[in-house]
Amino acid sequence: MSSDAQLNETPLAFEVQLKIRKPAAQVFDAVVDPKKLSGYFLREGSGPLVAGTTVLWQFPEFEERFPVVVREVVAPERIVLEWGSAIAGDPDTRVVMTFVALDAENTMVKISESGWPHSPEGLKASHGNAGGWMHMMAAMKAYLEYGINLREGGAF
C-alpha cells in the first residue's frame, strides 16, 4: 500500500494546547463541574463529568443538546469523552483532555480529538472542532485567570 493510500485511511486528528496560570486541580475542576463549565463555555451542562455516564451539553449557538459519553476521568490529569462527529452516519469522535502541572501554579491543557474520515466533510468538521476547543481553552483562561466570561456579549 502506498503512503498516500495509508494517509487517506488514517482518521483525521488534531491537538491544541494552552497554558493556564492556575493549579492543575483548579483547571481540571473547571471542566468537570458543569456550573463552572457553563461560566465560560456551555449554556448548560446536565451533570458533572463522571466516567461511565452520558451528559448533555448545550452550546449558546445551538438549540439542540449534544450527548457526551464520559469514558475516563482521572483527577486532576485526564478526561476522555466521545461524541457525535457532526457528520451524519459517521462514528463518534474521541476527545482526550490532559492537564499537565508545569509547577504548583501553572497548567498546560492539551485537547486532542480524533476519528473523522478523510473526506472534505471530515476535514471541515475537524477544523471546526479544533477552533472550538481552542476557543474553549482561551475562554477558560479568561474565566480562571481574570473572572471574565468571553461568551457574554458575544455573537450569540
Side-chain angles (χ1 to χ4, degrees), residues 25-36:
Q26 186 177 351
V27 177
F28 181 88
D29 189 52
V31 177
V32 171
D33 182 333
K35 287 185 174 77
K36 292 177 182 172

Side-chain angles (χ1 to χ4, degrees), residues 86-134:
I87 302 172
D90 277 353
D92 289 352
T93 60
R94 177 170 279 242
V95 177
V96 178
M97 300 180 181
T98 57
F99 304 82
V100 179
L102 301 174
D103 56 39
E105 297 300 321
N106 294 284
T107 304
M108 182 64 69
V109 180
K110 297 179 181 182
I111 301 176
S112 64
E113 189 168 0
S114 61
W116 296 276
H118 268 276
S119 67
E121 297 84 8
L123 190 60
K124 182 179 178 182
S126 68
H127 282 190
N129 280 28
W133 288 120
M134 197 64 225

